[in-house]
Amino acid sequence: MSFDVLQEKIIACQNPTVAGLDPKPDYVPPDMLRAVYAQYGETLEGAAEAIYRFNCGLMDALAGVVPAVKPQAAYYERLGWRGMEVLERTIRYAHEKGFFVIADIKRGDIGSTAEAYSDGWLGHTQVGGTSCTAFDADCVTLNGYMGSDSVNPFLKTCREEDKCVFLLVKTSNPGSGEYQNRTMEERLAYEVMGDLVAQWGGSETGKYGFTRAGAVVGATYPAELEQLRAQLKHTFLLVPGYGAQGGTAEDVRHAFDAQGHGAIVNASRSIMCAWKKTGKNGTDYQQAAQDAAIAMRDDIGRFVTVG
């Protein structure tokens, strides 16, 4: 079961966090950016190459400190095919460094389109007589508000490839309540979605008691987070919103079960851009990222003990 792999990596690192790889060119240290632009020019190709080198440097620094990385597809798509090629290379390098890879794609289409997304991100693409992998992530994020038609193709691939998904339930953004907190037959929409995620996950659980269908629940709503942890006992949680969005270590403790299992907390800019606060113009970006990741681990560790 794929969430067993993630949980075991969390235990090995004693760190229930994931580093988001959501880079813009201006997140790349100036010396690195200038060197790449000197070779490729201020082009989409140059921006993509700079981001790839930055990603690799970050992962070199974070290997053994954080168990997982989460590249957000939009930051690569904005660079066109060059960015998507860099995303594929980034995922490959992440696997080489031992990271669990959550591709943050938030797809939510149906039928053959969902099957195509699932093949590309988690499974295989048939090319003549050859079965080829494309992105080969371990897990993806999905928007399940189109219902089971949009989720089942991914879950089928997950069963075949031993992978997993996270579905949006109660997200961290300020406007999430415009729909997610609407009442539906005397229940809130996010509660209904939580039950659907549990239903889609089915009865098969792994070593640590979690199904293949996880849920995205923001740290910025700790009461809802605590409620959903109790409601979804067999659902692994991905928790955005820590740090810059206002979620605290005390808030995220509600995401974990009694053994300190079943959740992973995301941070992106606070790790990627930590070098901007040191006054060294990015020459220490790797050390700054590592220090920020360790500080986050230790902060959460004041409230959560990973068993």
Side-chain angles (χ1 to χ4, degrees):
M1 187 74 75
S2 189
F3 278 130
D4 288 344
V5 175
L6 176 57
Q7 186 61 66
E8 287 174 354
K9 287 181 181 292
I10 289 170
I11 292 169
C13 291
Q14 284 295 290
N15 186 1
T17 71
V18 53
L21 296 178
D22 312 343
K24 297 179 181 179
D26 63 0
Y27 293 175
V28 179
D31 288 348
M32 181 183 293
L33 201 59
R34 277 194 293 270
V36 174
Y37 285 169
Q39 182 177 357
Y40 295 94
E42 292 185 352
T43 62
L44 293 176
E45 183 180 13
E49 180 61 26
I51 282 170
Y52 178 68
R53 294 184 191 182
F54 182 49
N55 284 349
C56 290
L58 289 172
M59 288 187 282
D60 289 344
L62 296 173
V65 177
V66 300
V69 293
K70 184 176 70 65
Q72 217 303 331
Y75 289 85
Y76 302 86
E77 290 174 10
R78 75 195 306 174
L79 302 176
W81 67 264
R82 298 163 184 85
M84 298 309 287
E85 191 266 344
V86 158
L87 177 53
E88 183 182 342
R89 289 163 61 197
T90 293
I91 292 172
R92 189 181 311 127
Y93 192 79
H95 282 146
E96 290 172 4
K97 301 297 290 189
F99 292 103
F100 189 91
V101 179
I102 303 167
D104 194 355
I105 61 173
K106 296 186 179 71
R107 298 301 194 259
D109 217 318
I110 62 172
S112 59
T113 306
E115 290 174 7
Y117 279 136
S118 183
D119 289 344
W121 287 100
L122 295 173
H124 291 75
T125 299
Q126 198 67 27
V127 182
T130 304
S131 181
C132 304
T133 57
F135 293 103
D136 198 26
D138 299 300
C139 181
V140 295
T141 59
L142 301 177
N143 185 339
Y145 279 86
M146 286 183 75
S148 58
D149 296 330
S150 67
V151 177
N152 284 338
F154 287 91
L155 292 176
K156 178 177 182 292
T157 303
C158 286
R159 289 190 292 270
E160 294 169 350
E161 304 288 341
D162 194 20
K163 296 189 176 184
C164 54
V165 299
F166 283 113
L167 289 132
L168 303 181
V169 174
K170 176 57 183 169
T171 56
S172 60
N173 58 298
S176 65
E178 293 171 6
Y179 178 79
Q180 294 166 18
N181 284 62
R182 293 257 178 150
T183 301
M184 302 172 60
E185 298 179 352
E186 300 183 354
R187 301 188 70 210
L188 297 176
Y190 74 79
E191 295 174 320
V192 175
M193 178 54 72
D195 282 347
L196 284 171
V197 171
Q199 176 185 317
W200 292 332
S203 59
E204 182 188 6
T205 59
K207 173 181 176 182
Y208 296 95
F210 301 102
T211 72
R212 297 186 189 280
V216 179
V217 183
T220 47
Y221 299 100
E224 288 92 333
L225 180 57
E226 184 174 15
Q227 172 200 348
L228 286 164
R229 174 72 289 163
Q231 177 183 337
L232 305 175
K233 297 185 185 301
H234 300 290
T235 302
F236 212 101
L237 303 183
L238 171 61
V239 185
Y242 170 89
Q245 290 188 53
T248 68
E250 187 171 7
D251 294 331
V252 304
R253 67 187 169 91
H254 298 300
F256 297 85
D257 66 15
Q259 290 73 45
H261 296 164
I264 191 162
V265 183
N266 178 73
S268 298
R269 280 172 293 172
S270 61
I271 293 175
M272 289 187 300
C273 298
W275 63 267
K276 293 191 175 187
K277 298 181 178 180
T278 66
K280 297 182 180 179
N281 206 33
T283 58
D284 63 339
Y285 81 96
Q286 290 178 296
Q287 187 63 56
Q290 186 182 96
D291 290 346
I294 290 171
M296 180 182 177
R297 178 199 68 191
D298 293 348
D299 186 31
I300 294 172
R302 296 184 299 120
F303 299 94
V304 178
T305 300
V306 178

